[in-house]
Amino acid sequence: MTADQSPISFTNEQISIESLPKYEEITLNKPHLNYWKIILINISIWLSLLGVGLALLLIFVDEIKPNTTIILIGCITLVVLIFLLYRISFKKRGYAIRTHDVIYKSGIIAETTTIVPLNRIQHIELNEGILSRIFKLGALQIFTAGGQTGHLNITGIPIAEAKSIRDLLLKKLDLLENRPTEIHNNE
């Protein structure tokens, strides 16, 4: 070290937990109500296919016929549970776009809140399935630099809103990439 250079001092101050922003206080946007219709249609299609398979088993397999009542009660109970779990899951979902990050919350038993900083976003896709197009809804898929665990798939957004969010995030990403790097010199 030369005489005109001063030693760089390193500090690592403790941060008060109370001073951190509370993401729990953010009002989350919920999926559009028409997305619940899409969920119901998808569940109904799959359960109908399973029901046809079960009916064929009950008709053609003689060993199962004595247990038909028990099997039907079990299937009805399973169908009711599936619909209830999907409904609760639908009501728990939410997302928010903030100045520096995107928040997505989902889950029933294990509730997951994912917060993705804008500077971690690699690219954004806007997806529309067949049913989504009918109901004018879309899904934003946000890919991050952090790998699979950081990716977000926000479904049930009105297509015009999804396009606006995508465009807003792309503009913010452009600003982050084109911002000049700050150089700090300690003199």
Side-chain angles (χ1 to χ4, degrees):
M1 182 178 337
T2 61
D4 60 329
Q5 289 181 333
S6 61
I8 299 173
S9 63
F10 174 76
T11 60
N12 192 9
E13 300 294 322
Q14 183 174 353
I15 298 173
S16 169
I17 300 298
E18 292 79 30
S19 69
L20 294 174
K22 308 277 189 263
Y23 73 88
E24 299 91 348
E25 296 172 358
I26 300 294
T27 302
L28 299 176
N29 299 305
K30 299 294 183 183
H32 194 276
L33 288 176
N34 282 341
Y35 187 61
W36 175 241
K37 294 175 186 174
I38 294 172
I39 291 172
L40 288 177
I41 292 169
N42 285 329
I43 293 172
S44 298
I45 290 170
W46 284 110
L47 290 177
S48 296
L49 292 173
L50 289 173
V52 167
L54 182 62
L56 291 173
L57 279 175
L58 290 173
I59 292 169
F60 294 113
V61 179
D62 292 331
E63 293 83 22
I64 297 178
K65 286 181 183 178
N67 299 320
T68 300
T69 306
I70 294 170
I71 292 172
L72 289 177
I73 290 171
C75 287
I76 291 169
T77 303
L78 184 64
V79 166
V80 169
L81 282 174
I82 288 172
F83 278 104
L84 284 174
L85 288 174
Y86 270 95
R87 183 63 183 176
I88 294 168
S89 171
F90 175 77
K91 288 184 169 245
K92 291 247 181 191
R93 294 179 192 188
Y95 66 94
I97 311 299
R98 300 193 303 178
T99 307
H100 300 289
D101 56 32
V102 177
I103 300 174
Y104 182 66
K105 183 177 174 183
S106 65
I108 302 169
I109 297 167
E111 196 172 273
T112 302
T113 302
T114 305
I115 302 173
V116 176
L118 294 183
N119 63 356
R120 300 292 291 169
I121 295 175
Q122 294 293 309
H123 69 278
I124 303 164
E125 288 182 9
L126 177 60
N127 300 313
E128 296 176 75
I130 295 170
L131 292 174
S132 295
R133 265 186 259 138
I134 291 170
F135 290 101
K136 295 179 176 51
L137 298 175
L140 280 177
Q141 195 164 8
I142 300 172
F143 296 90
T144 63
Q148 282 296 103
T149 58
H151 296 340
L152 294 180
N153 189 24
I154 306 171
T155 54
I157 306 172
I159 195 66
E161 184 180 327
K163 287 178 181 178
S164 295
I165 292 170
R166 179 199 58 198
D167 294 345
L168 171 75
L169 290 176
L170 289 174
K171 284 178 188 172
K172 285 183 173 268
L173 292 175
D174 282 343
L175 288 174
L176 284 174
E177 288 177 6
N178 295 327
R179 182 174 40 176
T181 307
E182 295 179 24
I183 301 173
H184 298 284
N185 289 331
N186 291 334
E187 294 182 14

